[in-house]
C-alpha cells in the first residue's frame, strides 16, 4: 500500500542485518513523459507499465550473481542477534515496492514476502502529507491510487501464497521487531 512504511522498514532492517542491500521499486519509475494518462487526465503511476520492471529484475539478478561485490557496506550492526554476528558469508537483499508480487518474473525469487496494509482513511491521510513529483492532482487518490491498490491486492490474494500481512497502523518498532524476528527464523531454517 502507498505510504505504508515499506521504505522505512527496509532501511531499518538494512541497519540490523549483515551484508544487507536494498533495491527500491521506486527507483525504476519511467519518466513522466512515458507514463500513460487516462481520460480524466490522471497519470497512471500505480500500474506495472509505469515501471521499468525488466531493469529491476536484471538488477536483482545481478546482485544475486555477485552479492559480495554489490557495494554493500557493512555498518556497525544495531541489535543484531548472535546467530548473525560475524557471519561474513551471509548476504541479504531486501526488495521493497508496491507491485512486487504482481510481476510474475519476480515471484520465483522471494524467500519471504511481506505485505503492509492500511485502511483507506489512514492511507489517504498519509498520502496527503507527502509531496510527489509530479504532484498528486485533485481526486488522484480516490480516482487512481486507491482503486489500483485494491485491484492489485485482489490479484495478489488470488495468485500468491506465503505472504505475511502486516498491519501498517502498528508502530515502526512493532513492525520492525516482527519482520526482523521472522527473518532470523527464516535464516536459521536456511542454514539447517
Amino acid at each position: 500500500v502507498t505510504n505504508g512504511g515499506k521504505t522505512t522498514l527496509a532501511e531499518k532492517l538494512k541497519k540490523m542485518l549483515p551484508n544487507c542491500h536494498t533495491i527500491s521499486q521506486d527507483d525504476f519509475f519511467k519518466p513522466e513523459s512515458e507514463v500513460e494518462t487516462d481520460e480524466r487526465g490522471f497519470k497512471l503511476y500505480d500500474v506495472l507499465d509505469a515501471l521499468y520492471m525488466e531493469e529491476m529484475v536484471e538488477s536483482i539478478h545481478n546482485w544475486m550473481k555477485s552479492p559480495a561485490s554489490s557495494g554493500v557496506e557493512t555498518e556497525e550492526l544495531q541489535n543484531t542477534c548472535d546467530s548473525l554476528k560475524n557471519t561474513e558469508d551471509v548476504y541479504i537483499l531486501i526488495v521493497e515496492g508496491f507491485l512486487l508480487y504482481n510481476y510474475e518474473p519476480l515471484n520465483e525469487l522471494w524467500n519471504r514476502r511481506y505485505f503492509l496494509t492500511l485502511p483507506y482513511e489512514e492511507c489517504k491521510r498519509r498520502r496527503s502529507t507527502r509531496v510527489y513529483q509530479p504532484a498528486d492532482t485533485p481526486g488522484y487518490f480516490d480516482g487512481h491510487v486507491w482503486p489500483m491498490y485494491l485491484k492489485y491486492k485482489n490479484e495478489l490474494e488470488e495468485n500468491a501464497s506465503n505472504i505475511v500481512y502486516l498491519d501498517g497502523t502498528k508502530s515502526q518498532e512493532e513492525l520492525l521487531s516482527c519482520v526482523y524476528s521472522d527473518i532470523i527464523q527464516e535464516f536459521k531454517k536456511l542454514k539447517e
Side-chain angles (χ1 to χ4, degrees):
V1 67
T2 183
N3 294 276
K6 300 175 296 295
T7 304
T8 301
L9 180 59
E11 290 302 316
K12 287 183 178 212
L13 286 166
K14 180 179 178 179
K15 291 178 181 176
M16 295 176 69
L17 297 166
N19 300 320
C20 186
H21 184 74
T22 58
I23 292 178
S24 175
Q25 191 174 39
D26 285 352
D27 294 336
F28 295 90
F29 271 110
K30 293 177 179 176
E32 183 179 0
S33 62
E34 293 182 37
V35 176
E36 289 186 38
T37 304
D38 72 6
E39 65 280 352
R40 297 165 294 181
F42 293 148
K43 283 286 189 181
L44 303 179
Y45 279 103
D46 290 67
V47 297
L48 286 166
D49 287 343
L51 298 149
Y52 292 119
M53 291 302 296
E54 297 83 15
E55 289 180 19
M56 183 177 191
V57 171
E58 184 178 338
S59 293
I60 293 168
H61 281 291
N62 287 339
W63 182 89
M64 291 171 71
K65 288 178 196 167
S66 184
S69 65
S70 66
V72 172
E73 296 175 18
T74 304
E75 301 177 18
E76 181 66 32
L77 298 176
Q78 306 168 2
N79 306 321
T80 301
C81 79
D82 291 336
S83 65
L84 290 182
K85 287 186 178 174
N86 303 318
T87 312
E88 294 175 10
D89 62 340
V90 174
Y91 293 92
I92 299 168
L93 177 63
I94 298 172
V95 182
E96 63 91 7
F98 67 108
L99 290 175
L100 299 175
Y101 310 138
N102 300 88
Y103 190 67
E104 190 58 39
L106 290 174
N107 284 331
E108 65 197 41
L109 302 177
W110 313 126
N111 290 89
R112 299 299 287 157
R113 299 172 199 231
Y114 302 96
F115 190 91
L116 282 155
T117 62
L118 282 177
Y120 168 84
E121 288 299 331
E122 177 63 13
C123 187
K124 188 171 184 174
R125 184 194 67 74
R126 289 185 190 184
R127 178 82 181 207
S128 71
T129 66
R130 298 276 295 271
V131 177
Y132 290 93
Q133 283 297 41
D136 283 356
T137 56
Y140 188 67
F141 182 84
D142 288 318
H144 176 66
V145 175
W146 190 255
M148 289 298 99
Y149 163 68
L150 294 177
K151 174 186 183 286
Y152 284 112
K153 183 174 182 269
N154 287 335
E155 283 181 15
L156 168 73
E157 290 169 345
E158 290 175 11
N159 300 316
S161 59
N162 299 322
I163 296 174
V164 177
Y165 288 89
L166 302 169
D167 179 354
T169 63
K170 291 190 177 195
S171 72
Q172 291 179 3
E173 294 74 25
E174 285 178 279
L175 291 169
L176 179 63
S177 176
C178 174
V179 175
Y180 180 76
S181 297
D182 193 54
I183 289 172
I184 298 305
Q185 291 306 311
E186 182 70 12
F187 177 74
K188 287 177 182 176
K189 284 186 221 171
L190 291 172
K191 286 195 82 171
E192 290 176 353

